[in-house]
Amino acid sequence: MLLQAVHHIAVICADYHRSKAFYTDVLGLQVIREVYREERDSWKLDLALGDQYVIELFSFPDPPPRPSRPEACGLRHLAFAVNDIAAAVQQLQQKGVTTEPIRTDPYTGKRFTFFTDPDGLPLELYEQS
């Protein structure tokens, strides 16, 4: 098997409209496709970052909460690359998103920070420049 890239990441949310607003209005992802699946009482929203398909946002009736943050077995967090972490943090804070203090990765020397989506999913900003 020759993997080429990560195709997408699936996220299940508790409040579809709140999470849709967060991922589109706050983070700036673009809607590719939005489908309501009546038989499942579920929304499926395909989101892109630039021209790359990145996230499938799902809603299901009464999903169980995440067991713990972030040490539960499974996906730990999603990380997004940014060019200027201070500017990105300022933009998030202006939109009401609380971020952790900016830290420096001791192995790469790059700066990063964490914040959460409306359901508490840990998200990271990682400075590329």
Side-chain angles (χ1 to χ4, degrees):
M1 175 182 345
L2 298 175
L3 301 179
Q4 297 175 343
V6 172
H7 186 266
H8 69 271
I9 299 153
V11 174
I12 297 173
C13 63
D15 181 325
Y16 176 73
H17 298 290
R18 178 183 68 178
S19 292
K20 177 185 176 184
F22 177 81
Y23 282 95
T24 58
D25 299 340
V26 175
L27 296 186
L29 300 179
Q30 294 87 39
V31 174
I32 299 171
R33 180 181 316 106
E34 182 176 37
V35 177
Y36 179 70
R37 302 174 306 171
E38 189 172 347
E39 72 282 1
R40 294 182 176 192
D41 189 20
S42 169
W43 286 96
K44 179 180 181 288
L45 181 66
D46 296 332
L47 297 166
L49 181 57
D51 61 353
Q52 182 177 353
Y53 176 46
V54 175
I55 291 179
E56 284 181 344
L57 183 66
F58 290 96
S59 71
F60 294 105
D62 302 313
R66 183 178 168 87
S68 71
R69 178 187 177 268
E71 286 76 20
C73 187
L75 181 67
R76 184 170 185 196
H77 63 267
L78 306 179
F80 296 98
V82 296
N83 288 325
D84 182 341
I85 197 159
V89 165
Q90 183 178 21
Q91 289 172 348
L92 286 174
Q93 291 174 346
Q94 288 172 347
K95 294 180 180 186
V97 176
T98 301
T99 64
E100 293 181 359
I102 295 172
R103 297 181 274 169
T104 301
D105 185 319
Y107 302 105
T108 66
K110 303 288 185 175
R111 298 187 309 161
F112 67 98
T113 190
F114 285 91
F115 60 105
T116 62
D117 82 350
D119 291 302
L121 176 66
L123 303 174
E124 178 184 8
L125 297 179
Y126 197 90
E127 193 169 60
Q128 292 296 303
S129 55

